[in-house]
Amino acid sequence: MERTIKYFSKKIFPVAIALSILVLTGELIAHLIGEILWFQEVGYAKTFLERLLWQLGLFGLTSALSLGFLLFNLRLASRWGWRIAKETPDR
């Protein structure tokens, strides 16, 4: 049983994750190409690309702010965490 789990965790799991990422990325690219072609056909390609760029920009800005907030809190936690734990009396 242990050998099966070890084989799964070292061989099959990374391959399954890689295939999942590949399939999802391929689906995203196919969907995006389809949307671009459709919006070009109806004459709204510029509007679609502008909306897409705004969405990507806002996603990037929000991600950067969230990452900064997280890293700042992790830094504070690492600086103050042990001091607070040491001051707490043992039960």
Side-chain angles (χ1 to χ4, degrees), residues 5-91:
I5 294 172
K6 190 178 281 189
Y7 178 77
F8 178 77
S9 65
K10 291 198 180 227
K11 302 282 184 183
I12 296 176
F13 187 68
V15 172
I17 294 295
L19 284 175
S20 298
I21 290 172
L22 185 66
V23 167
L24 290 174
T25 303
E27 194 276 331
L28 177 67
I29 290 171
H31 181 76
L32 188 61
I33 290 172
E35 289 285 321
I36 289 171
L37 291 174
W38 187 82
F39 275 98
Q40 279 179 342
E41 189 67 29
V42 295
Y44 286 106
K46 184 180 179 201
T47 304
F48 172 72
L49 291 176
E50 185 178 340
R51 187 191 83 183
L52 184 64
L53 288 175
W54 271 103
Q55 285 178 336
L56 290 174
L58 289 173
F59 174 77
L61 178 66
T62 305
S63 297
L65 288 173
S66 298
L67 181 63
F69 182 75
L70 175 68
L71 292 176
F72 176 72
N73 279 305
L74 287 173
R75 185 173 175 193
L76 285 178
S78 68
R79 184 185 305 170
W80 293 98
W82 290 108
R83 244 184 259 168
I84 294 172
K86 287 179 183 176
E87 291 174 3
T88 306
D90 292 334
R91 290 184 180 185

